[in-house]
Amino acid sequence: MNNLISDPSLTLARTRLRGTGARVTPARVRVLAVLMEAGQPLSHHEVEQILSPAAELDRVTLYRVLDWLVQQRLAHRVAGSDRAWRFSVAGDQPSLEARGGLKAGGAKVMHERHAHFHCNDCGKVYCLDSIDAKALNVPVPIGYRPETLELTVKGYCAHCN
Amino acid sequence: MNNLISDPSLTLARTRLRGTGARVTPARVRVLAVLMEAGQPLSHHEVEQILSPAAELDRVTLYRVLDWLVQQRLAHRVAGSDRAWRFSVAGDQPSLEARGGLKAGGAKVMHERHAHFHCNDCGKVYCLDSIDAKALNVPVPIGYRPETLELTVKGYCAHCN
DNA sequence: CCATCAATTGCAACCCAGTTGCAATTGATG
DNA sequence: CATCAATTGCAACTGGGTTGCAATTGATGG
């Protein structure tokens, strides 16, 4: 009737949003629910596709909602190699340092450390959760202050291989 | 008088280009020379800036020359997080598999394995040559065929820190 | 229950990286 | 030095993303 988003997801999304203390709008609820149901990072366009069967959502509003979700740390923004951002729900447990719990010495710690697989054929992006990017411990030259780490493997996914 | 490109670089570039057997045009020579002189991957725009004091080079031509250099394996294309490609000269020794010398079993080997540092402030990209991405040996799920690997550290460079 | 108002949304117009089609130019070759 | 495919320049276009602004709306206090 309405769309491809399940009721439980919508409810869960609403709950998460209320947790931020900010306004809980239909746009935010539906976009977050879509991200929660997707098993992979979605581009702006992909979210639009999933949303479209139901009520319309302005292009710009969608961009803004996605940005907002990232700001609220409810989502992560991952850079694909096709110059289009992808968005995925953040883990249920926002990292401590992200919430200001670990600011010892003012030293920032790298977060968002997991890797992605980008299919050169279909263009889809998959999270490689198995990879412990934390273990990489990439050394940077003196004077450089690393903040985040992005590890992307490009190739062909199981479907396109 | 003319521009910021040194004569030796131009000559070296010309030699490298002749090695491809393809046409040696001023555009190709100058662009390759610019990449050779830059110590870091340059965006289309950055190359344009360096080139501009001298003769003009059409935007489109520059894009095409850069693409061509990558095709010829004289340059690498690296994806920055600001959805703009960067280009850097390829090492003096193109990897064997790149030249068809190592096609055993038809299995492709990952190449272009070094990492980059992207400054969140000034936007410049630096090569982290010290990092041996080869050592990462990233595991992907069965059925997935990895080809290239991109490791980008984002943060603040020595200048902006 | 409703008025209020800042936060959010929709719209239109815009920016920027990159691409395409095509006619004019040019490097290598015989 | 004539030839011609490869290369260049131009103009117009695509697609992701942004900005300014007026209209709408969720939470709040009364």
Side-chain angles (χ1 to χ4, degrees):
Chain A
M1 201 127 307
N2 33 24
N3 55 22
L4 307 165
I5 318 170
S6 76
D7 267 7
S9 294
L10 288 171
T11 306
L12 182 50
R14 233 180 305 263
T15 307
R16 286 253 237 156
L17 288 170
R18 258 194 282 272
T20 68
R23 277 207 206 169
V24 179
T25 70
R28 285 172 180 176
V29 173
R30 293 201 301 136
V31 172
L32 181 54
V34 166
L35 292 186
M36 289 193 312
E37 295 218 335
Q40 53 192 218
L42 299 180
S43 66
H44 171 273
H45 185 62
E46 288 167 328
V47 174
E48 215 171 14
Q49 291 293 310
I50 298 174
L51 241 31
S52 60
E56 286 303 319
L57 190 55
D58 190 75
R59 255 166 42 80
V60 180
T61 301
L62 178 49
Y63 277 117
R64 288 198 272 229
V65 166
L66 289 169
D67 282 351
W68 182 86
L69 288 173
V70 171
Q71 239 179 264
Q72 300 299 313
R73 301 193 181 279
L74 289 174
H76 289 313
R77 184 200 304 272
V78 0
S81 50
D82 58 349
R83 81 201 107 287
W85 295 111
R86 317 265 163 162
F87 301 84
S88 60
V89 265
D92 300 80
Q93 293 292 335
S95 63
L96 276 177
E97 68 269 25
R99 324 195 105 198
L102 268 187
K103 288 201 174 152
K108 295 211 177 176
V109 191
M110 282 200 216
H111 46 277
E112 296 177 38
R113 284 211 193 208
H114 75 289
H116 296 100
F117 186 95
H118 184 110
C119 180
N120 286 335
D121 191 3
C122 67
K124 280 198 180 129
V125 174
Y126 304 87
C127 289
L128 297 178
D129 297 304
S130 66
I131 295 177
D132 182 17
K134 255 185 279 293
L136 292 180
N137 217 336
V138 178
V140 298
I142 294 176
Y144 287 61
R145 183 156 47 93
E147 284 213 323
T148 60
L149 188 147
E150 265 183 22
L151 178 56
T152 305
V153 181
K154 293 197 259 181
Y156 296 89
C157 73
H159 242 303
C160 304
N161 198 353
Chain B
M1 202 126 310
N2 35 22
N3 54 23
L4 308 165
I5 319 171
S6 76
D7 267 5
S9 294
L10 288 170
T11 305
L12 182 51
R14 233 180 304 264
T15 306
R16 286 254 238 157
L17 287 170
R18 258 193 282 273
T20 68
R23 279 206 204 168
V24 179
T25 68
R28 285 172 181 177
V29 173
R30 293 201 299 137
V31 172
L32 181 54
V34 166
L35 292 186
M36 290 192 313
E37 295 218 336
Q40 54 191 217
L42 299 180
S43 66
H44 171 272
H45 184 64
E46 287 166 328
V47 174
E48 215 171 13
Q49 291 294 309
I50 298 174
L51 241 30
S52 61
E56 286 303 320
L57 190 55
D58 189 75
R59 257 166 39 80
V60 179
T61 300
L62 178 49
Y63 277 118
R64 288 198 272 229
V65 166
L66 289 169
D67 283 351
W68 182 87
L69 287 173
V70 171
Q71 240 179 264
Q72 300 299 313
R73 302 193 179 280
L74 290 174
H76 288 313
R77 184 199 302 273
V78 0
S81 50
D82 58 350
R83 82 201 106 284
W85 294 110
R86 317 265 163 162
F87 301 85
S88 60
V89 265
D92 300 79
Q93 291 294 336
S95 63
L96 276 177
E97 68 269 23
R99 323 197 107 198
L102 266 187
K103 287 201 175 152
K108 296 211 177 178
V109 191
M110 281 200 216
H111 46 278
E112 297 178 38
R113 285 210 190 209
H114 74 289
H116 296 99
F117 186 95
H118 184 111
C119 180
N120 286 335
D121 191 2
C122 66
K124 280 198 180 130
V125 173
Y126 304 86
C127 289
L128 297 178
D129 298 304
S130 65
I131 295 177
D132 181 19
K134 256 185 277 295
L136 292 180
N137 216 335
V138 177
V140 298
I142 295 176
Y144 287 60
R145 182 157 47 94
E147 285 214 323
T148 60
L149 189 148
E150 265 182 20
L151 178 55
T152 306
V153 181
K154 293 196 260 180
Y156 297 90
C157 73
H159 242 304
C160 304
N161 198 354

